């Protein structure tokens, strides 16, 4: 009897596990995003679910700094968006999603180097309460200075000018070679025609005259 009971329990657990896996929410995010210091960045997050969007759908955005310290809440959605009341992202995060389109993206404003780290996006859509957690690694880089832009522009301009000179030189060389080949061909044709003319004249001189 115990063996049958264990078998029945295993079958029930297996069936329940298949239901959980089939009902899992899949979350999709960009793996890495690079943004310039002081700008705003949209962190895209979408999801797919085997169930229709329910009134109990919730979205949780969290952040873990590069130093791997504790996670910090960033944003929460349940029927309506809730911005963080405190912390580094207070007044710096806004909702930019559309639940009906399965889009739960947010915008982070005025990025700082301290925002370097990993953002996580988790969605639950009852009865799909299990699933993957999307991750976005954000890298905030410094603004490019004017001198760097000037140097880059000069480098690109110099490379373009050099390329134009090389292409022009190649075209001129090909044209000169073609003209030289044409002149040699013309000279050879003229020489051949002259030889043929001389040969025909000699043949006429050797033809005996009839009485």
């Amino acid at each position: 009897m115990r063996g049958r009971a264990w078998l029945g329990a295993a079958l029930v657990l297996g069936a329940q596990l298949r239901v959980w896996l089939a009902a899992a929410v899949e979350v999709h995010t960009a793996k890495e995003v690079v943004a310039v210091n002081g700008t705003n960045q949209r962190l895209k997050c979408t999801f797919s679910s085997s169930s229709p969007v329910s009134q109990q759908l919730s979205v949780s955005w969290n952040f873990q700094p590069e130093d791997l310290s504790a996670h910090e809440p960033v944003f929460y959605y349940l029927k309506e968006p809730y911005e963080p009341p405190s912390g580094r992202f207070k007044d710096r995060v806004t909702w930019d999603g559309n639940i009906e389109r399965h889009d739960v993206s947010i915008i982070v404003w005025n990025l700082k180097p301290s925002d370097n780290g990993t953002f996580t996006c988790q969605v639950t859509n009852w009865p799909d309460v299990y699933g993957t957690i999307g991750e976005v690694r954000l890298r905030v880089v410094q603004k490019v200075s004017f001198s760097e832009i000037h140097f880059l522009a000069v480098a690109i301009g110099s490379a373009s000018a050099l390329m134009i000179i090389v292409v022009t030189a190649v075209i001129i060389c090909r044209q000169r070679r073609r003209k030289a080949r044409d002149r040699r061909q013309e000279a050879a044709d003229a020489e051949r025609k002259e030889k043929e003319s001389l040969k025909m004249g000699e043949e006429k001189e050797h033809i005996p005259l009839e009485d």
Side-chain angles (χ1 to χ4, degrees):
M1 293 296 292
R2 286 186 177 181
R4 292 182 179 179
W6 277 106
L7 179 60
L11 291 175
V12 171
L13 181 60
Q16 186 65 39
L17 180 60
R18 286 195 296 272
V19 171
W20 287 344
L21 292 176
V25 176
E26 293 186 4
V27 178
H28 312 279
T29 59
K31 299 303 179 183
E32 185 175 20
V33 174
V34 179
V36 177
N37 180 33
T39 62
N40 312 320
Q41 180 63 46
R42 184 176 191 264
L43 301 182
K44 184 178 180 180
C45 179
T46 59
F47 70 94
S48 58
S49 175
S50 60
S51 302
V53 175
S54 70
Q55 292 296 319
Q56 300 302 316
L57 181 141
S58 65
V59 181
S60 298
W61 279 91
N62 292 286
F63 172 73
Q64 184 175 39
E66 283 190 329
D67 59 7
L68 301 180
S69 55
H71 283 76
E72 301 177 24
V74 177
F75 198 86
Y76 186 72
Y77 181 97
L78 178 61
K79 296 184 180 180
E80 61 179 311
Y82 293 91
E83 298 178 4
S86 60
R88 75 171 73 196
F89 296 106
K90 180 182 178 181
D91 299 328
R92 294 181 53 218
V93 180
T94 54
W95 174 253
D96 196 49
N98 187 324
I99 296 297
E100 298 302 323
R101 296 183 179 180
H102 293 197
D103 187 343
V104 292
S105 305
I106 59 174
I107 295 179
V108 182
W109 300 80
N110 190 23
L111 290 173
K112 306 174 183 178
S114 58
D115 296 330
N116 282 316
T118 302
F119 290 79
T120 60
C121 175
Q122 185 175 11
V123 181
T124 58
N125 181 38
W126 183 263
D128 298 0
V129 294
Y130 300 95
T132 58
I133 298 177
E135 293 187 353
V136 182
R137 183 173 181 270
L138 176 65
R139 288 199 304 115
V140 180
V141 298
Q142 296 296 329
K143 292 181 179 179
V144 180
S145 64
F146 175 77
S147 59
E148 292 175 337
I149 294 176
H150 180 70
F151 176 77
L152 182 61
V154 171
I156 294 175
S158 300
S160 301
L162 180 60
M163 185 177 296
I164 292 173
I165 292 173
V166 171
V167 172
T168 303
V170 170
I171 293 175
I172 293 174
C173 289
R174 287 183 177 179
Q175 289 178 347
R176 289 182 175 178
R177 289 179 181 178
R178 186 181 299 110
K179 289 180 179 180
R181 185 173 63 250
D182 293 342
R183 286 196 296 268
R184 289 195 299 269
Q185 185 65 37
E186 290 176 359
D189 292 342
E191 184 179 358
R192 179 175 54 78
K193 289 180 179 180
E194 184 178 356
K195 289 181 178 180
E196 290 177 353
S197 178
L198 291 174
K199 185 177 180 181
M200 291 177 63
E202 291 176 356
E203 289 177 353
K204 287 181 179 180
E205 290 179 357
H206 289 84
I207 294 176
L209 300 174
E210 296 181 359
D211 295 337

